[in-house]
């Protein structure tokens, strides 16, 4: 088996393990409105970066960070979703760096941090987001 196939096999196994872990996490008490608010905020930030519009309110980044911290704590309290906790922590780091880049009007850096933020969100959603959302 070549290295490429080995990597693909590892990714497939990791995805399966993550999906099985999700089956053990009860998300009935998750605040869907919070996730929708984060989605709306990231859409607004995306527009700011695309338009190189310096009018982003620091409140948007602060609200995003607050919601990501809540998400981290939510999954930490579940006790059986350490990867979700890690995704939330990684997203917080990217969001903070994104805020700094926007403050400095460094839209290239903002774009990279925004991509990293979205990647963290997507990685978590791939395992934990219920199909109905």
């Amino acid at each position: 088996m070549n290295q490429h196939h080995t990597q693909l096999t590892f990714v497939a196994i990791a995805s399966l393990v993550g999906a099985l872990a999700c089956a053990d996490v009860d998300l009935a008490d998750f605040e869907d409105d919070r996730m929708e608010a984060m989605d709306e905020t990231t859409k607004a930030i995306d527009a700011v970066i695309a338009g190189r519009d310096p009018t982003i309110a620091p409140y948007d980044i602060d609200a995003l960070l607050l919601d990501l911290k809540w998400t981290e704590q939510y999954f930490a309290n579940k006790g059986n979703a350490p990867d979700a906790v890690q995704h939330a922590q990684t997203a917080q780091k990217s969001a903070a760096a994104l805020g700094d880049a926007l403050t400095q009007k460094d839209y290239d850096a903002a774009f990279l941090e925004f991509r990293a933020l979205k990647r963290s969100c997507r990685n978590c959603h791939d395992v934990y987001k219920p199909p109905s959302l």
Side-chain angles (χ1 to χ4, degrees), residues 36-51:
E36 289 173 17
M38 282 194 283
D39 186 49
E40 290 303 314
T41 299
T42 57
K43 287 176 184 174
I45 292 169
D46 188 23
V48 165
I49 295 168

Side-chain angles (χ1 to χ4, degrees), residues 53-77:
D53 178 4
T55 60
I56 182 73
Y59 170 79
D60 290 332
I61 297 295
D62 292 345
L64 185 61
L65 285 167
L66 184 66
D67 287 339
L68 287 167
K69 186 64 179 170
W70 179 90
T71 303
E72 174 192 358
Q73 193 60 53
Y74 173 84
F75 281 108
N77 290 341

Side-chain angles (χ1 to χ4, degrees), residues 8-108:
L8 289 176
T9 301
F10 177 76
V11 169
I13 290 171
S15 296
L16 178 60
V17 169
L20 292 174
C22 179
D24 295 338
V25 179
D26 177 12
L27 301 174
D29 60 340
F30 192 84
E31 295 180 15
D32 297 337
D33 291 344
R34 188 176 295 267
M35 228 6 93
E36 289 173 17
M38 282 194 283
D39 186 49
E40 290 303 314
T41 299
T42 57
K43 287 176 184 174
I45 292 169
D46 188 23
V48 165
I49 295 168
R52 295 183 177 258
D53 178 4
T55 60
I56 182 73
Y59 170 79
D60 290 332
I61 297 295
D62 292 345
L64 185 61
L65 285 167
L66 184 66
D67 287 339
L68 287 167
K69 186 64 179 170
W70 179 90
T71 303
E72 174 192 358
Q73 193 60 53
Y74 173 84
F75 281 108
N77 290 341
K78 291 293 179 182
N80 58 347
D83 56 330
V85 172
Q86 181 62 44
H87 293 311
Q89 291 169 342
T90 301
Q92 288 172 67
K93 290 175 187 169
S94 294
L98 170 61
D100 291 343
L102 288 172
T103 298
Q104 297 169 16
K105 297 183 176 104
D106 183 347
Y107 297 102
D108 293 332

